Amino acid sequence: MQRIEEIYWLRAYGCLAVFSFHLLDYLNQRVDTLATDLARIPTVLGTPIFIFISIFLFSMRYGRDIPQGFLGSRVKYVMVPYLVYGLAYSLAEFLRLQANGVEAGLVETLREYLVYAGWHGYFLIIAAQFYAFYWLYGRFDLARWLPATPWLLIGSLIGMAWWGYWQWRSSLPPGYLHWIAPLGWLYLFFLAMVLVKHYQDTPEARPAWLVALARPRWLVALIGLVVLLSLPGWLEYSSKEVWVVPFFLLFTLWIMGRLRGRPAPPTGAAPQRVLLRHLPGPPDVLQPGGRAGPRPAAAACALRAGPGGGRHGRLHRLEPDRQPRAVGRAAVRQAAAGGLRRRRPPEAANLVPAPPLASGGNDSHQGRVCR
């Protein structure tokens, strides 16, 4: 298969986005400014990029001729790291909680990490599901019932509705079960299928809507709207937000055309395992009795849902990507003043103090709150 430079550019961008997201999280706990909020906008694309890349490359390489053993090798490729890392993190977390005098059962801890995918390795479960879906899509010719172009629109609406639904819910399922559900990421699969279908087309042969949406003015207009909504602190910043769906679509359509054929930087060769090699690092999780790494602000540490810790209990550690929703500048200021502005009735909050615990994770804001 030919080298597709745009994908290497995207992968380089995804690696930088993941790194920058964590750096900005760290800074935002200490420097609460509009600039850190605006700088986080381009970093929310990190997780969707890696899902998109997988499906795009599989479809470009195999099409409908999926080789024997594809599904088994792919699932093994992602599930073995998930189980190994998840087991290591859950055992380290259990030891850390025990050393800090916090009651936590080993079975409960393992269930939170391995069954509920309550750590940043949730990405691997998402990937495994889409590998299986790609296998089914090609093996049984599901394109006859799920044509890529109309389902790109349908999948985008489903994704926006899914994230919007959980944005307004007063309760959440345990761990990251609502994050690993494929409904929120369905648009990425069909976007990859559409772009592969028209990749070899000349500009004149491509659908008019595809050419129009790839023009930068739509992306600039959307970014302008996002910036305007960020000024009063109305937006939250993670890959699981309603506004990220059109943002990723317009960004990808534009960059795939803009950077086609341009040699990509060496960073683009980094594997998707980069998502497993970030905070918290081994020195942090394997020293349960010692001082943990960067922690969220004191106001954020005091927020935890439910009497006695709620359904997530003591294991919901205010980590990036362990928390259901990001908190913007206005919410953090209100939390520091003694209350968190919420978009649901106050009686649904039921917040109680909790001891500050270690932070870590993947794709969210360290100021997120447990519910």
Side-chain angles (χ1 to χ4, degrees), residues 192-225:
M193 290 297 176
V194 167
L195 292 182
V196 167
K197 178 181 178 181
H198 299 288
Y199 186 79
Q200 301 296 345
D201 292 351
T202 62
E204 298 77 18
R206 291 174 190 156
W209 67 268
L210 196 61
V211 175
L213 291 179
R215 291 172 182 152
R217 61 170 176 256
W218 297 106
L219 180 60
V220 172
L222 180 62
I223 293 176
L225 177 61

Side-chain angles (χ1 to χ4, degrees), residues 309-351:
R311 249 191 317 178
H312 300 295
R314 295 168 290 274
L315 298 176
H316 226 138
R317 293 186 294 137
L318 290 172
E319 318 176 342
D321 261 4
R322 289 293 303 278
Q323 310 312 319
R325 298 177 56 200
V327 176
R329 292 177 301 116
V332 170
R333 285 195 294 269
Q334 289 191 351
L340 177 66
R341 177 175 63 86
R342 302 175 70 85
R343 287 182 278 182
R344 62 181 61 83
E347 60 271 15
N350 196 19
L351 301 175

Side-chain angles (χ1 to χ4, degrees), residues 47 82 116-127 176 179-180 185 239-240 321 362-363:
T47 297
Y82 175 81
Y116 298 153
W119 62 292
H120 63 271
Y122 76 93
F123 169 82
L124 295 175
I125 303 298
I126 298 173
Y176 291 157
W179 285 5
I180 64 176
W185 313 100
S239 59
K240 296 90 179 172
D321 261 4
N362 179 30
D363 176 35

Side-chain angles (χ1 to χ4, degrees), residues 129-299:
Q129 292 178 94
F130 278 103
Y131 295 162
F133 185 44
Y134 169 74
W135 180 84
L136 292 170
Y137 196 83
R139 183 58 58 89
F140 297 101
D141 195 18
L142 296 184
R144 292 177 295 173
W145 297 281
L146 302 174
T149 299
W151 269 90
L152 174 58
L153 174 60
I154 296 171
S156 300
L157 295 177
I158 291 175
M160 295 172 70
W162 181 257
W163 299 129
Y165 172 76
W166 291 111
Q167 193 79 1
W168 294 92
R169 282 279 294 177
S170 60
S171 61
L172 295 170
Y176 291 157
L177 293 181
H178 61 302
W179 285 5
I180 64 176
L183 295 177
W185 313 100
L186 199 57
Y187 70 100
L188 300 171
F189 180 90
F190 289 107
L191 175 62
M193 290 297 176
V194 167
L195 292 182
V196 167
K197 178 181 178 181
H198 299 288
Y199 186 79
Q200 301 296 345
D201 292 351
T202 62
E204 298 77 18
R206 291 174 190 156
W209 67 268
L210 196 61
V211 175
L213 291 179
R215 291 172 182 152
R217 61 170 176 256
W218 297 106
L219 180 60
V220 172
L222 180 62
I223 293 176
L225 177 61
V226 171
V227 170
L228 288 176
L229 294 177
S230 297
L231 297 179
W234 290 351
L235 290 186
E236 299 167 354
Y237 309 93
S238 80
S239 59
K240 296 90 179 172
E241 306 295 334
V242 174
W243 60 271
V244 175
V245 175
F247 183 31
F248 184 86
L249 291 174
L250 296 176
F251 169 82
T252 305
L253 291 176
W254 169 72
I255 203 170
M256 289 290 286
R258 181 74 174 177
L259 299 178
R260 184 165 185 174
R262 299 190 180 186
T267 314
Q272 298 189 22
R273 290 187 296 274
V274 69
L275 292 181
L276 289 176
R277 302 301 304 273
H278 62 282
L279 293 177
D284 197 24
V285 299
L286 296 182
Q287 297 180 14
R291 179 176 177 80
R295 302 188 178 202

Side-chain angles (χ1 to χ4, degrees), residues 288-307:
R291 179 176 177 80
R295 302 188 178 202
C301 286
L303 300 175
R304 181 162 129 205

Side-chain angles (χ1 to χ4, degrees), residues 354-368:
L357 300 176
S359 65
N362 179 30
D363 176 35
S364 183
H365 193 291
Q366 282 187 346
R368 287 196 161 189

